[in-house]
Amino acid sequence: MGIGGLAVAGALAAQGDLATDRPSESAAATLVPGGFARAELGGQANWFTEATGEPGFSYSVPLGIVRYGLSENWELRVGAQFAQQLGELQGAMVGAKYRLPGEFWGDVDACWLVELPINPAQGISLSGDLPMAHRLCLGRALGQLGSVTANAGWGLASGESTWMASAAFSRTLGNQGWSGFVEPFVYTAQPLRVNLGVQRTVNDSWMLDFVYGRNAENGDVQVGVGVSFTLAQIEE
């Protein structure tokens, strides 16, 4: 597995909170605690309009990432997305997230995320322009019940630069482990999209999520469901 023997963690203070990178477009501004791993898995379905004007449909199952806390300031990650036929790898990535140091950020959590996309058919080529995506991830509490997570990103793919921006506003809903969020986001040359989602913390190690996304210009819809769970390293 590359990260040692693992088992599902119980209620351990060392594992920190369950701030995940799904189901929103905004990556969390926090890291998985050192020595722990987190699996964030799910699937998504897309309803859209074809160029011919006919309705279209696609789905990806499964998709997700595994994040590993290398230290207090570093996190490693690998991810994959499968196409409409289960078992057909559509894309993969490897990456790292770094906690930005210093007191400049004040009450704002700040991380830098770097990911290297991998084309399954072509593999990784070190010649020419290396495709890569960078993100500045910021997070801040809004009172006792709310928070905001914002991302600003830049990437390089096929020799072309891309950018993205997002902001997820979340709030605790009641006292049964529910939280909800609304998130506008944009990518290069694409219309504004808005996500509405909910998460439910089942216990200290498990979280379920659902998200509904809509294209503000043409009404295309994306729906996703998933689960995140924390893993703990077995002590030898």
Side-chain angles (χ1 to χ4, degrees):
M1 297 178 67
I3 52 179
L6 299 174
V8 176
L12 301 177
Q15 73 186 50
D17 59 41
L18 264 174
T20 65
D21 282 1
R22 61 159 301 120
S24 64
E25 289 292 321
S26 302
T30 56
L31 306 181
V32 175
F36 287 83
R38 178 169 300 144
E40 303 178 8
L41 311 174
Q44 68 183 28
N46 307 277
W47 290 266
F48 54 89
T49 303
E50 302 275 9
T52 59
E54 296 294 321
F57 173 76
S58 67
Y59 64 88
S60 297
V61 179
L63 56 87
I65 61 174
V66 175
R67 304 163 58 195
Y68 176 65
L70 189 63
S71 68
E72 180 181 348
N73 295 317
W74 284 95
E75 169 188 304
L76 302 180
R77 55 177 51 207
V78 294
Q81 177 171 325
F82 290 80
Q84 300 207 49
Q85 293 184 352
L86 195 64
E88 180 183 341
L89 185 61
Q90 187 178 40
M93 71 83 182
V94 294
K97 189 190 287 187
Y98 173 65
R99 188 192 313 277
L100 296 177
E103 298 179 356
F104 169 80
W105 306 102
D107 294 332
V108 177
D109 293 320
C111 290
W112 191 264
L113 172 62
V114 180
E115 293 182 340
L116 174 64
I118 301 172
N119 186 316
Q122 300 175 357
I124 300 177
S125 175
L126 299 181
S127 62
D129 294 327
L130 190 66
M132 191 171 293
H134 299 260
R135 286 198 193 192
L136 173 63
C137 310
L138 303 174
R140 189 181 191 279
L142 300 176
Q144 295 183 342
L145 300 178
S147 66
V148 58
T149 300
N151 285 186
W154 169 85
L156 180 66
S158 302
E160 297 185 1
S161 295
T162 60
W163 60 269
M164 65 81 63
S166 64
F169 301 88
S170 64
R171 190 181 191 280
T172 299
L173 305 175
N175 57 4
Q176 300 298 318
W178 289 94
S179 62
F181 71 91
V182 57
E183 177 190 41
F185 65 96
V186 291
Y187 280 86
T188 307
Q190 296 184 20
L192 173 70
R193 297 182 67 96
V194 179
N195 281 336
L196 296 174
V198 292
Q199 294 176 306
R200 186 174 189 274
T201 302
V202 179
N203 56 38
D204 290 336
S205 298
W206 290 83
M207 177 181 288
L208 306 176
D209 62 65
F210 170 85
V211 63
Y212 171 89
R214 190 174 182 89
N215 186 309
E217 182 177 288
N218 58 27
D220 289 353
V221 169
Q222 182 178 86
V223 173
V225 294
V227 59
S228 301
F229 51 95
T230 301
L231 304 168
Q233 189 171 12
I234 295 177
E235 298 291 343
E236 295 184 0

